[in-house]
Amino acid sequence: VDIRVSKPFILLANCEVYYDGRAKSSLVPGDYLIIRKGDGTLLIHGGSKFNPLNYQPSGAILRKEGNKLISTRKRETITIIIHSIMWYREPVEWSENKIEISRTEYDLKLQIIRDIKELTGDRTIKEVTPEFKTPYGPIDVVAITETNLFHIIEVKRGKSTLSSCAQLERYLNYFKEINTPTKGWLMSPDISKGAVQYAANRSIEWRKVLFEV
Amino acid sequence: VDIRVSKPFILLANCEVYYDGRAKSSLVPGDYLIIRKGDGTLLIHGGSKFNPLNYQPSGAILRKEGNKLISTRKRETITIIIHSIMWYREPVEWSENKIEISRTEYDLKLQIIRDIKELTGDRTIKEVTPEFKTPYGPIDVVAITETNLFHIIEVKRGKSTLSSCAQLERYLNYFKEINTPTKGWLMSPDISKGAVQYAANRSIEWRKVLFEV
DNA sequence: AGTTCAGTGATGCGT
DNA sequence: ACGCATCGCTGAACT
């Protein structure tokens, strides 16, 4: 079988793989599934687990040297030494459509902005800004009251964790530096125990928010 | 062609895909690559990009209903409606070896622990603990001096970011609560501009550490 | 090109 | 099972 590096292909081969770049890895000889897409993406999958064993994201360039396949991208290199080919296929058509997805953090954010006064219990809110920019990163939602109190809201689509608390606190620190009074909020469907503890110690409040759809 | 849900297979098919679970998505009809592994992993790949369009991680259970493939796992469901099959393969052998990887954060941490006195410039360190446990999460490296000053060190294999700063500060907060004097450190090969700023404002120090191998 | 964050993140390790 | 941190994370949006 002749592998064409100019075409997308799907290949099951007995091979070994070496990677060098940000990290360095080697994969002992075995039968693996090798996928090469039109945009340069290279995936080497083993017989279990979600993640490919080795890979290169879109933009990689593939070449052939004897029984070696070499893929390079931004100073990273994958070398596949092929011992034998079980089968090889070039898809005639391979669609590039995207999925349409809902129940993302963005959707939850819209709900929160709509219900902001009920959720915070603050009827004096006069302005709500999503993606509020600060030098310490963009804040999911900022709601400003008539008396210029800033509600700083971090939204999570899943569980709020210690890491969410730290993220929120980082934003709060910015407003502390510019002497602006704030109230910090976590809003999400769930929260971890550690986050509850941490939030309590720093007067951060959590509001449970569920997806409506 | 007859798809056997009891075996791992690779399938190129014209199909449409619906997912419902934590989120909800749909994929318009097209030609996609469907991979089913022995551990239940299901991957549906389009003709570009690293990430699968739809997927289920290991543990999913697959069944067939007419021209539908239905995979379920923990209240999440993927439904593939198959319109036509381009080709279908069942790998006879598909290895489950793991890659051996180096230059991970763990490797960098070992270097840092070895060179801890040089990196901190503190010759009075008497004890170094990796994975130091606190209620606010485990700290990469803690080094304690003869006078009980705690060096709190957050290690990153790539670039230190604002998020790294916030993570470190969260650990520092714990020691503040128990009235223990600390010095906060970021150690990594690189650091982002925002992180430099944030660290400067909170007397966190950064040390550049490169992989030796 | 650099920075930041979401993700159906997944995965591994600890409790 | 939950909690937490890493990942060669990738991908997207914005500067």
Side-chain angles (χ1 to χ4, degrees), chain B residues 87-127:
Chain B
W87 62 283
Y88 173 80
R89 279 275 118 108
E90 290 174 3
V92 179
E93 247 299 303
W94 199 354
S95 308
E96 302 201 16
N97 305 308
K98 288 181 179 172
I99 60 164
E100 286 171 51
I101 192 161
S102 55
R103 271 184 237 150
T104 61
E105 192 193 89
Y106 178 78
D107 297 323
L108 196 55
K109 214 172 334 190
L110 291 183
Q111 277 182 220
I112 288 166
I113 289 169
R114 187 197 58 196
D115 300 338
I116 191 70
K117 291 188 180 176
E118 289 73 15
L119 287 165
T120 54
D122 189 338
R123 299 268 150 202
T124 70
I125 288 168
K126 63 170 183 195
E127 197 188 325

mmCIF file of all heavy atoms in Angstrom, chain B residues 87-127:
data_model
loop_
_atom_site.group_PDB
_atom_site.id
_atom_site.type_symbol
_atom_site.label_atom_id
_atom_site.label_comp_id
_atom_site.label_asym_id
_atom_site.label_seq_id
_atom_site.Cartn_x
_atom_site.Cartn_y
_atom_site.Cartn_z
ATOM 1 N N TRP B 87 -17.463 2.821 4.513
ATOM 2 C CA TRP B 87 -16.721 1.594 4.819
ATOM 3 C C TRP B 87 -16.708 1.337 6.318
ATOM 4 O O TRP B 87 -16.938 2.218 7.131
ATOM 5 C CB TRP B 87 -15.329 1.586 4.218
ATOM 6 C CG TRP B 87 -14.400 2.649 4.698
ATOM 7 C CD1 TRP B 87 -14.401 3.944 4.340
ATOM 8 C CD2 TRP B 87 -13.340 2.478 5.634
ATOM 9 N NE1 TRP B 87 -13.415 4.612 4.990
ATOM 10 C CE2 TRP B 87 -12.738 3.728 5.778
ATOM 11 C CE3 TRP B 87 -12.844 1.386 6.341
ATOM 12 C CZ2 TRP B 87 -11.660 3.937 6.631
ATOM 13 C CZ3 TRP B 87 -11.767 1.593 7.187
ATOM 14 C CH2 TRP B 87 -11.176 2.869 7.318
ATOM 15 N N TYR B 88 -16.418 0.097 6.631
ATOM 16 C CA TYR B 88 -16.522 -0.381 8.010
ATOM 17 C C TYR B 88 -15.407 -1.364 8.264
ATOM 18 O O TYR B 88 -15.170 -2.266 7.455
ATOM 19 C CB TYR B 88 -17.881 -1.058 8.195
ATOM 20 C CG TYR B 88 -18.072 -1.760 9.520
ATOM 21 C CD1 TYR B 88 -18.403 -1.044 10.657
ATOM 22 C CD2 TYR B 88 -17.936 -3.142 9.621
ATOM 23 C CE1 TYR B 88 -18.594 -1.689 11.877
ATOM 24 C CE2 TYR B 88 -18.116 -3.801 10.834
ATOM 25 C CZ TYR B 88 -18.450 -3.071 11.953
ATOM 26 O OH TYR B 88 -18.631 -3.705 13.153
ATOM 27 N N ARG B 89 -14.677 -1.188 9.351
ATOM 28 C CA ARG B 89 -13.563 -2.073 9.661
ATOM 29 C C ARG B 89 -13.570 -2.430 11.139
ATOM 30 O O ARG B 89 -13.814 -1.566 11.980
ATOM 31 C CB ARG B 89 -12.228 -1.364 9.379
ATOM 32 C CG ARG B 89 -11.787 -1.343 7.937
ATOM 33 C CD ARG B 89 -11.065 -2.639 7.665
ATOM 34 N NE ARG B 89 -11.790 -3.365 6.659
ATOM 35 C CZ ARG B 89 -11.379 -3.533 5.394
ATOM 36 N NH1 ARG B 89 -10.228 -3.049 4.987
ATOM 37 N NH2 ARG B 89 -12.117 -4.206 4.557
ATOM 38 N N GLU B 90 -13.279 -3.669 11.432
ATOM 39 C CA GLU B 90 -13.043 -4.076 12.823
ATOM 40 C C GLU B 90 -11.574 -4.431 12.965
ATOM 41 O O GLU B 90 -11.125 -5.399 12.363
ATOM 42 C CB GLU B 90 -13.914 -5.291 13.166
ATOM 43 C CG GLU B 90 -15.397 -4.969 13.252
ATOM 44 C CD GLU B 90 -16.255 -6.220 13.446
ATOM 45 O OE1 GLU B 90 -15.669 -7.325 13.562
ATOM 46 O OE2 GLU B 90 -17.487 -6.090 13.470
ATOM 47 N N PRO B 91 -10.818 -3.639 13.723
ATOM 48 C CA PRO B 91 -9.396 -3.955 13.894
ATOM 49 C C PRO B 91 -9.247 -5.307 14.573
ATOM 50 O O PRO B 91 -9.910 -5.572 15.575
ATOM 51 C CB PRO B 91 -8.867 -2.847 14.799
ATOM 52 C CG PRO B 91 -9.913 -1.799 14.824
ATOM 53 C CD PRO B 91 -11.206 -2.450 14.496
ATOM 54 N N VAL B 92 -8.391 -6.142 14.033
ATOM 55 C CA VAL B 92 -8.136 -7.446 14.655
ATOM 56 C C VAL B 92 -7.338 -7.240 15.934
ATOM 57 O O VAL B 92 -7.648 -7.772 16.984
ATOM 58 C CB VAL B 92 -7.360 -8.358 13.681
ATOM 59 C CG1 VAL B 92 -7.073 -9.717 14.337
ATOM 60 C CG2 VAL B 92 -8.152 -8.539 12.397
ATOM 61 N N GLU B 93 -6.327 -6.422 15.820
ATOM 62 C CA GLU B 93 -5.525 -6.078 16.987
ATOM 63 C C GLU B 93 -5.495 -4.555 17.124
ATOM 64 O O GLU B 93 -5.402 -3.839 16.130
ATOM 65 C CB GLU B 93 -4.086 -6.594 16.805
ATOM 66 C CG GLU B 93 -3.717 -7.707 17.767
ATOM 67 C CD GLU B 93 -3.795 -7.257 19.214
ATOM 68 O OE1 GLU B 93 -3.130 -6.280 19.601
ATOM 69 O OE2 GLU B 93 -4.544 -7.895 19.964
ATOM 70 N N TRP B 94 -5.587 -4.066 18.364
ATOM 71 C CA TRP B 94 -5.522 -2.631 18.594
ATOM 72 C C TRP B 94 -4.884 -2.444 19.967
ATOM 73 O O TRP B 94 -5.534 -2.669 20.989
ATOM 74 C CB TRP B 94 -6.929 -2.024 18.525
ATOM 75 C CG TRP B 94 -6.920 -0.538 18.310
ATOM 76 C CD1 TRP B 94 -5.854 0.285 18.280
ATOM 77 C CD2 TRP B 94 -8.077 0.284 18.088
ATOM 78 N NE1 TRP B 94 -6.255 1.578 18.049
ATOM 79 C CE2 TRP B 94 -7.607 1.604 17.929
ATOM 80 C CE3 TRP B 94 -9.439 0.043 18.018
ATOM 81 C CZ2 TRP B 94 -8.465 2.678 17.701
ATOM 82 C CZ3 TRP B 94 -10.302 1.104 17.799
ATOM 83 C CH2 TRP B 94 -9.817 2.410 17.631
ATOM 84 N N SER B 95 -3.623 -2.047 19.989
ATOM 85 C CA SER B 95 -2.841 -2.043 21.228
ATOM 86 C C SER B 95 -3.331 -1.006 22.232
ATOM 87 O O SER B 95 -3.862 0.027 21.857
ATOM 88 C CB SER B 95 -1.367 -1.802 20.906
ATOM 89 O OG SER B 95 -0.930 -2.696 19.919
ATOM 90 N N GLU B 96 -3.102 -1.304 23.505
ATOM 91 C CA GLU B 96 -3.529 -0.393 24.566
ATOM 92 C C GLU B 96 -2.336 0.097 25.380
ATOM 93 O O GLU B 96 -2.476 0.445 26.550
ATOM 94 C CB GLU B 96 -4.551 -1.090 25.474
ATOM 95 C CG GLU B 96 -5.766 -1.581 24.713
ATOM 96 C CD GLU B 96 -6.984 -1.814 25.604
ATOM 97 O OE1 GLU B 96 -6.991 -1.326 26.751
ATOM 98 O OE2 GLU B 96 -7.932 -2.466 25.129
ATOM 99 N N ASN B 97 -1.173 0.144 24.756
ATOM 100 C CA ASN B 97 0.009 0.644 25.460
ATOM 101 C C ASN B 97 -0.131 2.129 25.778
ATOM 102 O O ASN B 97 -0.890 2.843 25.135
ATOM 103 C CB ASN B 97 1.248 0.425 24.604
ATOM 104 C CG ASN B 97 1.413 -1.020 24.184
ATOM 105 O OD1 ASN B 97 1.387 -1.913 25.028
ATOM 106 N ND2 ASN B 97 1.546 -1.261 22.888
ATOM 107 N N LYS B 98 0.622 2.562 26.777
ATOM 108 C CA LYS B 98 0.653 3.987 27.114
ATOM 109 C C LYS B 98 1.942 4.608 26.602
ATOM 110 O O LYS B 98 2.938 3.901 26.432
ATOM 111 C CB LYS B 98 0.559 4.179 28.629
ATOM 112 C CG LYS B 98 -0.812 3.873 29.186
ATOM 113 C CD LYS B 98 -0.865 4.105 30.685
ATOM 114 C CE LYS B 98 -2.275 3.809 31.204
ATOM 115 N NZ LYS B 98 -2.350 3.834 32.679
ATOM 116 N N ILE B 99 1.921 5.906 26.366
ATOM 117 C CA ILE B 99 3.169 6.542 25.986
ATOM 118 C C ILE B 99 3.997 6.814 27.231
ATOM 119 O O ILE B 99 3.460 6.972 28.329
ATOM 120 C CB ILE B 99 2.963 7.873 25.222
ATOM 121 C CG1 ILE B 99 2.203 8.896 26.072
ATOM 122 C CG2 ILE B 99 2.255 7.651 23.924
ATOM 123 C CD1 ILE B 99 2.310 10.299 25.530
ATOM 124 N N GLU B 100 5.315 6.825 27.035
ATOM 125 C CA GLU B 100 6.196 7.243 28.115
ATOM 126 C C GLU B 100 6.592 8.672 27.833
ATOM 127 O O GLU B 100 7.114 8.976 26.765
ATOM 128 C CB GLU B 100 7.430 6.350 28.177
ATOM 129 C CG GLU B 100 7.131 4.971 28.740
ATOM 130 C CD GLU B 100 8.316 4.044 28.580
ATOM 131 O OE1 GLU B 100 9.425 4.438 28.969
ATOM 132 O OE2 GLU B 100 8.109 2.935 28.045
ATOM 133 N N ILE B 101 6.340 9.536 28.782
ATOM 134 C CA ILE B 101 6.515 10.959 28.526
ATOM 135 C C ILE B 101 7.462 11.585 29.529
ATOM 136 O O ILE B 101 7.508 11.181 30.689
ATOM 137 C CB ILE B 101 5.138 11.659 28.521
ATOM 138 C CG1 ILE B 101 5.244 13.070 27.976
ATOM 139 C CG2 ILE B 101 4.494 11.626 29.893
ATOM 140 C CD1 ILE B 101 3.917 13.632 27.521
ATOM 141 N N SER B 102 8.267 12.537 29.073
ATOM 142 C CA SER B 102 9.126 13.291 29.988
ATOM 143 C C SER B 102 8.976 14.777 29.697
ATOM 144 O O SER B 102 8.303 15.160 28.754
ATOM 145 C CB SER B 102 10.589 12.857 29.838
ATOM 146 O OG SER B 102 11.000 12.986 28.509
ATOM 147 N N ARG B 103 9.630 15.591 30.539
ATOM 148 C CA ARG B 103 9.451 17.043 30.509
ATOM 149 C C ARG B 103 8.037 17.414 30.952
ATOM 150 O O ARG B 103 7.428 18.297 30.372
ATOM 151 C CB ARG B 103 9.722 17.626 29.120
ATOM 152 C CG ARG B 103 11.180 18.006 28.917
ATOM 153 C CD ARG B 103 11.386 18.672 27.587
ATOM 154 N NE ARG B 103 12.375 17.963 26.801
ATOM 155 C CZ ARG B 103 12.382 17.910 25.484
ATOM 156 N NH1 ARG B 103 11.430 18.514 24.793
ATOM 157 N NH2 ARG B 103 13.318 17.265 24.855
ATOM 158 N N THR B 104 7.537 16.716 31.928
ATOM 159 C CA THR B 104 6.243 17.066 32.518
ATOM 160 C C THR B 104 6.489 18.002 33.695
ATOM 161 O O THR B 104 7.635 18.250 34.076
ATOM 162 C CB THR B 104 5.532 15.815 33.052
ATOM 163 O OG1 THR B 104 6.356 15.232 34.056
ATOM 164 C CG2 THR B 104 5.293 14.809 31.948
ATOM 165 N N GLU B 105 5.410 18.506 34.272
ATOM 166 C CA GLU B 105 5.572 19.380 35.423
ATOM 167 C C GLU B 105 6.292 18.652 36.548
ATOM 168 O O GLU B 105 7.086 19.246 37.282
ATOM 169 C CB GLU B 105 4.209 19.874 35.926
ATOM 170 C CG GLU B 105 4.378 20.996 36.916
ATOM 171 C CD GLU B 105 3.107 21.316 37.673
ATOM 172 O OE1 GLU B 105 2.854 20.710 38.728
ATOM 173 O OE2 GLU B 105 2.373 22.188 37.204
ATOM 174 N N TYR B 106 6.021 17.369 36.664
ATOM 175 C CA TYR B 106 6.652 16.564 37.702
ATOM 176 C C TYR B 106 8.171 16.618 37.586
ATOM 177 O O TYR B 106 8.881 16.779 38.591
ATOM 178 C CB TYR B 106 6.158 15.117 37.605
ATOM 179 C CG TYR B 106 6.789 14.197 38.598
ATOM 180 C CD1 TYR B 106 6.380 14.183 39.928
ATOM 181 C CD2 TYR B 106 7.827 13.335 38.232
ATOM 182 C CE1 TYR B 106 6.963 13.338 40.857
ATOM 183 C CE2 TYR B 106 8.420 12.494 39.150
ATOM 184 C CZ TYR B 106 7.988 12.496 40.461
ATOM 185 O OH TYR B 106 8.573 11.668 41.378
ATOM 186 N N ASP B 107 8.683 16.484 36.380
ATOM 187 C CA ASP B 107 10.130 16.534 36.168
ATOM 188 C C ASP B 107 10.710 17.877 36.588
ATOM 189 O O ASP B 107 11.766 17.959 37.202
ATOM 190 C CB ASP B 107 10.454 16.276 34.689
ATOM 191 C CG ASP B 107 10.025 14.882 34.243
ATOM 192 O OD1 ASP B 107 10.144 13.942 35.045
ATOM 193 O OD2 ASP B 107 9.560 14.745 33.099
ATOM 194 N N LEU B 108 9.982 18.941 36.243
ATOM 195 C CA LEU B 108 10.448 20.283 36.589
ATOM 196 C C LEU B 108 10.459 20.475 38.099
ATOM 197 O O LEU B 108 11.357 21.097 38.668
ATOM 198 C CB LEU B 108 9.541 21.322 35.917
ATOM 199 C CG LEU B 108 10.056 22.748 35.835
ATOM 200 C CD1 LEU B 108 11.415 22.816 35.155
ATOM 201 C CD2 LEU B 108 9.063 23.643 35.106
ATOM 202 N N LYS B 109 9.450 19.901 38.745
ATOM 203 C CA LYS B 109 9.335 20.000 40.192
ATOM 204 C C LYS B 109 10.549 19.350 40.866
ATOM 205 O O LYS B 109 11.096 19.906 41.822
ATOM 206 C CB LYS B 109 8.044 19.308 40.638
ATOM 207 C CG LYS B 109 7.414 19.972 41.811
ATOM 208 C CD LYS B 109 6.037 19.468 42.202
ATOM 209 C CE LYS B 109 5.159 18.832 41.158
ATOM 210 N NZ LYS B 109 3.785 18.614 41.663
ATOM 211 N N LEU B 110 10.973 18.208 40.340
ATOM 212 C CA LEU B 110 12.143 17.532 40.916
ATOM 213 C C LEU B 110 13.378 18.420 40.815
ATOM 214 O O LEU B 110 14.157 18.522 41.772
ATOM 215 C CB LEU B 110 12.396 16.202 40.193
ATOM 216 C CG LEU B 110 11.366 15.093 40.421
ATOM 217 C CD1 LEU B 110 11.797 13.816 39.710
ATOM 218 C CD2 LEU B 110 11.158 14.828 41.914
ATOM 219 N N GLN B 111 13.547 19.069 39.669
ATOM 220 C CA GLN B 111 14.674 19.994 39.490
ATOM 221 C C GLN B 111 14.620 21.100 40.541
ATOM 222 O O GLN B 111 15.632 21.460 41.147
ATOM 223 C CB GLN B 111 14.605 20.655 38.113
ATOM 224 C CG GLN B 111 15.177 19.847 36.968
ATOM 225 C CD GLN B 111 15.090 20.620 35.658
ATOM 226 O OE1 GLN B 111 14.788 20.032 34.631
ATOM 227 N NE2 GLN B 111 15.330 21.917 35.674
ATOM 228 N N ILE B 112 13.426 21.658 40.719
ATOM 229 C CA ILE B 112 13.249 22.787 41.626
ATOM 230 C C ILE B 112 13.547 22.391 43.064
ATOM 231 O O ILE B 112 14.223 23.110 43.800
ATOM 232 C CB ILE B 112 11.821 23.364 41.489
ATOM 233 C CG1 ILE B 112 11.704 24.110 40.158
ATOM 234 C CG2 ILE B 112 11.475 24.285 42.652
ATOM 235 C CD1 ILE B 112 10.299 24.438 39.732
ATOM 236 N N ILE B 113 13.088 21.206 43.452
ATOM 237 C CA ILE B 113 13.345 20.733 44.804
ATOM 238 C C ILE B 113 14.850 20.543 45.016
ATOM 239 O O ILE B 113 15.397 20.919 46.051
ATOM 240 C CB ILE B 113 12.570 19.420 45.078
ATOM 241 C CG1 ILE B 113 11.070 19.740 45.193
ATOM 242 C CG2 ILE B 113 13.077 18.729 46.333
ATOM 243 C CD1 ILE B 113 10.173 18.525 45.208
ATOM 244 N N ARG B 114 15.508 20.008 44.002
ATOM 245 C CA ARG B 114 16.958 19.785 44.093
ATOM 246 C C ARG B 114 17.707 21.109 44.251
ATOM 247 O O ARG B 114 18.638 21.215 45.039
ATOM 248 C CB ARG B 114 17.431 19.058 42.828
ATOM 249 C CG ARG B 114 18.878 18.600 42.855
ATOM 250 C CD ARG B 114 19.356 18.281 41.452
ATOM 251 N NE ARG B 114 19.224 19.453 40.586
ATOM 252 C CZ ARG B 114 19.258 19.423 39.256
ATOM 253 N NH1 ARG B 114 19.385 18.269 38.624
ATOM 254 N NH2 ARG B 114 19.137 20.528 38.548
ATOM 255 N N ASP B 115 17.258 22.135 43.500
ATOM 256 C CA ASP B 115 17.968 23.426 43.489
ATOM 257 C C ASP B 115 17.290 24.483 44.360
ATOM 258 O O ASP B 115 17.511 25.674 44.164
ATOM 259 C CB ASP B 115 18.051 23.953 42.047
ATOM 260 C CG ASP B 115 18.792 22.994 41.132
ATOM 261 O OD1 ASP B 115 19.568 22.167 41.646
ATOM 262 O OD2 ASP B 115 18.585 23.072 39.910
ATOM 263 N N ILE B 116 16.489 24.050 45.306
ATOM 264 C CA ILE B 116 15.622 24.979 46.035
ATOM 265 C C ILE B 116 16.388 26.135 46.691
ATOM 266 O O ILE B 116 15.937 27.287 46.658
ATOM 267 C CB ILE B 116 14.764 24.218 47.084
ATOM 268 C CG1 ILE B 116 13.668 25.110 47.648
ATOM 269 C CG2 ILE B 116 15.619 23.627 48.190
ATOM 270 C CD1 ILE B 116 12.585 25.423 46.677
ATOM 271 N N LYS B 117 17.550 25.867 47.254
ATOM 272 C CA LYS B 117 18.291 26.931 47.956
ATOM 273 C C LYS B 117 18.841 27.973 46.991
ATOM 274 O O LYS B 117 18.792 29.173 47.269
ATOM 275 C CB LYS B 117 19.427 26.320 48.791
ATOM 276 C CG LYS B 117 18.894 25.514 49.971
ATOM 277 C CD LYS B 117 20.000 25.050 50.920
ATOM 278 C CE LYS B 117 19.376 24.251 52.071
ATOM 279 N NZ LYS B 117 20.398 23.694 52.966
ATOM 280 N N GLU B 118 19.331 27.506 45.839
ATOM 281 C CA GLU B 118 19.846 28.436 44.838
ATOM 282 C C GLU B 118 18.696 29.287 44.272
ATOM 283 O O GLU B 118 18.836 30.488 44.087
ATOM 284 C CB GLU B 118 20.540 27.685 43.689
ATOM 285 C CG GLU B 118 21.875 27.044 44.069
ATOM 286 C CD GLU B 118 21.720 25.808 44.953
ATOM 287 O OE1 GLU B 118 20.596 25.275 45.054
ATOM 288 O OE2 GLU B 118 22.730 25.395 45.561
ATOM 289 N N LEU B 119 17.574 28.650 43.993
ATOM 290 C CA LEU B 119 16.455 29.358 43.356
ATOM 291 C C LEU B 119 15.828 30.404 44.272
ATOM 292 O O LEU B 119 15.481 31.503 43.836
ATOM 293 C CB LEU B 119 15.387 28.353 42.892
ATOM 294 C CG LEU B 119 15.768 27.526 41.651
ATOM 295 C CD1 LEU B 119 14.840 26.329 41.482
ATOM 296 C CD2 LEU B 119 15.746 28.403 40.400
ATOM 297 N N THR B 120 15.694 30.083 45.536
ATOM 298 C CA THR B 120 15.101 31.040 46.467
ATOM 299 C C THR B 120 16.153 31.971 47.047
ATOM 300 O O THR B 120 15.817 33.038 47.552
ATOM 301 C CB THR B 120 14.425 30.308 47.654
ATOM 302 O OG1 THR B 120 15.391 29.435 48.249
ATOM 303 C CG2 THR B 120 13.231 29.495 47.190
ATOM 304 N N GLY B 121 17.420 31.551 46.957
ATOM 305 C CA GLY B 121 18.486 32.340 47.575
ATOM 306 C C GLY B 121 18.434 32.252 49.086
ATOM 307 O O GLY B 121 18.987 33.087 49.787
ATOM 308 N N ASP B 122 17.756 31.241 49.588
ATOM 309 C CA ASP B 122 17.586 31.092 51.039
ATOM 310 C C ASP B 122 18.298 29.826 51.523
ATOM 311 O O ASP B 122 17.846 28.715 51.276
ATOM 312 C CB ASP B 122 16.091 31.029 51.363
ATOM 313 C CG ASP B 122 15.838 31.086 52.865
ATOM 314 O OD1 ASP B 122 16.748 30.757 53.655
ATOM 315 O OD2 ASP B 122 14.714 31.474 53.245
ATOM 316 N N ARG B 123 19.434 30.037 52.218
ATOM 317 C CA ARG B 123 20.265 28.917 52.670
ATOM 318 C C ARG B 123 19.748 28.322 53.973
ATOM 319 O O ARG B 123 20.291 27.339 54.470
ATOM 320 C CB ARG B 123 21.719 29.379 52.886
ATOM 321 C CG ARG B 123 22.397 29.909 51.659
ATOM 322 C CD ARG B 123 23.157 28.819 50.911
ATOM 323 N NE ARG B 123 23.185 29.096 49.486
ATOM 324 C CZ ARG B 123 23.395 28.167 48.550
ATOM 325 N NH1 ARG B 123 23.596 26.912 48.882
ATOM 326 N NH2 ARG B 123 23.372 28.483 47.274
ATOM 327 N N THR B 124 18.720 28.954 54.557
ATOM 328 C CA THR B 124 18.239 28.477 55.861
ATOM 329 C C THR B 124 17.069 27.497 55.738
ATOM 330 O O THR B 124 16.456 27.136 56.725
ATOM 331 C CB THR B 124 17.792 29.676 56.740
ATOM 332 O OG1 THR B 124 16.576 30.226 56.181
ATOM 333 C CG2 THR B 124 18.856 30.750 56.784
ATOM 334 N N ILE B 125 16.790 27.082 54.498
ATOM 335 C CA ILE B 125 15.716 26.100 54.305
ATOM 336 C C ILE B 125 16.117 24.770 54.922
ATOM 337 O O ILE B 125 17.204 24.248 54.659
ATOM 338 C CB ILE B 125 15.401 25.924 52.799
ATOM 339 C CG1 ILE B 125 14.690 27.173 52.272
ATOM 340 C CG2 ILE B 125 14.541 24.680 52.560
ATOM 341 C CD1 ILE B 125 14.580 27.240 50.760
ATOM 342 N N LYS B 126 15.214 24.227 55.724
ATOM 343 C CA LYS B 126 15.560 22.979 56.415
ATOM 344 C C LYS B 126 14.658 21.830 56.010
ATOM 345 O O LYS B 126 14.919 20.683 56.331
ATOM 346 C CB LYS B 126 15.469 23.191 57.937
ATOM 347 C CG LYS B 126 14.063 23.522 58.417
ATOM 348 C CD LYS B 126 13.891 23.493 59.929
ATOM 349 C CE LYS B 126 12.415 23.761 60.243
ATOM 350 N NZ LYS B 126 12.145 24.115 61.626
ATOM 351 N N GLU B 127 13.558 22.152 55.289
ATOM 352 C CA GLU B 127 12.590 21.096 54.970
ATOM 353 C C GLU B 127 11.846 21.464 53.694
ATOM 354 O O GLU B 127 11.397 22.596 53.538
ATOM 355 C CB GLU B 127 11.600 20.989 56.142
ATOM 356 C CG GLU B 127 10.790 19.714 56.171
ATOM 357 C CD GLU B 127 9.709 19.770 57.248
ATOM 358 O OE1 GLU B 127 9.958 20.381 58.322
ATOM 359 O OE2 GLU B 127 8.615 19.240 56.993
#
